[in-house]
Amino acid sequence: MTDGHERLAGVSSTALFVGITRAAESRRQDRLFEDPLATRFVDAAGAEQQVAWTQGEGRLFTEAMGDYFALRTRYFDDYFMQACAAGCRQAVLLAAGLDTRAFRLHWPAGTRLFELDQPEVLDFKEHVLQGEVPRCEREVIAGDLREDWPALLMKQGFRADEPTAWLVEGILVYLTARDADHLLDRIGALSAPGSHLAVEHVTRSMVNTDRAQEAAAASPGGIMNMLSGLWKNEMAQPPAEWLADHGWSAEEELLTDLAKRHDRPVPPAFDPALPGTGRVRLLAADR
């Protein structure tokens, strides 16, 4: 078990970045959700890891993305509650990171939530969460999405014959198109009729904007170069069509509509009115 200061590197480091934005959102009076545990993750990571996201280009990136992550979090919060209302009593968070939905959402009685992520992420997370009681039955699974994670899920008690609410949040950018197809095939094989799926898809242009490239050139070892190096997904097919090809019927929530509904600005990195910005797709699907 980590002492709470084990370094979160690479993709795992971005989990801390998301935690920082969720902690900041929780301090707002007009917050879209409240995540009191996010601050504990940030504090436990220590000043050395925080500084990458709270100073220099990291701070600018965190501030620029804050509204987007607040909107994304609220969108997927609502998705889970809607899926539960439709009858799902199993939920799966793939690459769960520092997600705390098990502790802060009001799950229906009998809900079982499975969280899967890398061992080092879960070691850090479980250390910080000691003494906290989830609002649903919670199963924590150490595994890698590139390996046989379905077997680990089944071993932990997952039922493939029951409707499941799946979340693929903040994952696709780190997967090649082939790996993303393989992931969706595996999800489909485990999804009984009545299952639901929510997906986030972001185009690479988010890290290819002029501003992002200027930041990368100014700091060769900085955040933008790290994110660009981690980015793998070059999928050109519209994500709704991609989901349909895998047997899912999807509805997309336009970021502009989501922002308007919650009275938030469209984050500059994704504003369709600005040239050269990234595009984001938030989709909920069923089968």
Side-chain angles (χ1 to χ4, degrees):
M1 186 69 72
T2 177
D3 63 359
H5 293 277
E6 184 175 322
R7 190 159 191 82
L8 295 171
V11 174
S12 300
S13 176
T14 65
L16 178 62
F17 156 57
V18 175
I20 289 172
T21 64
R22 287 177 176 165
E25 178 68 19
S26 298
R27 292 191 293 269
R28 294 180 58 146
Q29 289 198 344
D30 64 342
R31 55 186 172 267
L32 301 183
F33 60 88
E34 188 169 7
D35 187 354
L37 295 173
T39 299
R40 287 174 52 180
F41 290 128
V42 175
D43 292 343
E48 182 181 352
Q49 293 198 70
Q50 291 178 41
V51 73
W53 301 105
T54 57
Q55 293 187 19
E57 63 164 330
R59 179 180 64 80
L60 295 175
F61 186 73
T62 300
E63 291 176 351
M65 295 296 289
D67 280 317
Y68 169 64
F69 280 110
L71 290 165
R72 183 183 82 172
T73 299
R74 176 59 183 270
Y75 175 80
F76 289 133
D77 284 358
D78 292 343
Y79 152 76
F80 269 127
M81 295 299 94
Q82 291 163 5
C84 286
C88 291
R89 291 298 178 269
Q90 281 186 150
V92 180
L93 301 175
L94 296 175
L98 304 182
D99 188 284
T100 63
R101 289 184 173 96
F103 301 87
R104 63 180 183 79
L105 294 186
H106 296 283
W107 301 94
T111 301
R112 196 174 195 188
L113 178 67
F114 297 83
E115 298 184 20
L116 186 141
D117 211 320
Q118 301 278 357
E120 64 271 17
V121 177
L122 295 179
D123 281 350
F124 172 81
K125 183 175 184 177
E126 295 310 291
H127 174 83
V128 176
L129 291 176
Q130 284 183 12
E132 294 295 326
V133 179
R135 294 179 172 179
C136 60
E137 188 176 351
R138 178 173 177 256
E139 301 289 348
V140 178
I141 303 170
D144 191 314
L145 292 179
R146 296 166 296 185
E147 299 172 357
D148 190 9
W149 58 267
L152 298 176
L153 205 61
M154 301 290 284
K155 185 177 180 180
Q156 204 75 10
F158 177 85
R159 294 283 304 273
D161 59 344
E162 294 183 3
T164 303
W166 300 87
L167 179 57
V168 180
E169 177 183 23
I171 302 175
L172 294 181
V173 295
Y174 307 119
L175 302 179
T176 65
R178 180 178 179 180
D179 287 340
D181 279 334
H182 189 42
L183 176 68
L184 207 55
D185 285 339
R186 284 176 154 179
I187 291 173
L190 295 171
S191 297
S195 291
H196 293 255
L197 169 67
V199 173
E200 173 203 32
H201 179 264
V202 183
T203 65
R204 188 183 177 88
S205 53
M206 189 191 80
V207 292
N208 285 344
T209 62
D210 291 342
R211 183 176 179 183
Q213 291 302 304
E214 290 172 3
S219 180
I223 294 299
M224 294 312 301
N225 275 296
M226 182 194 78
L227 292 174
S228 183
L230 292 171
W231 210 289
K232 298 290 189 297
N233 197 321
E234 303 290 351
M235 185 174 70
Q237 183 182 18
E241 291 182 11
W242 176 64
L243 289 170
D245 287 347
H246 289 266
W248 296 90
S249 176
E251 290 188 6
E252 178 182 337
E253 175 83 17
L254 296 176
L255 186 59
T256 49
D257 292 343
L258 185 63
K260 183 177 180 180
R261 179 150 52 88
H262 292 297
D263 196 25
R264 288 291 176 92
V266 177
F270 301 120
D271 191 342
L274 300 177
T277 56
R279 294 294 182 268
V280 62
R281 301 286 189 268
L282 299 175
L283 303 102
D286 56 41
R287 60 187 302 144

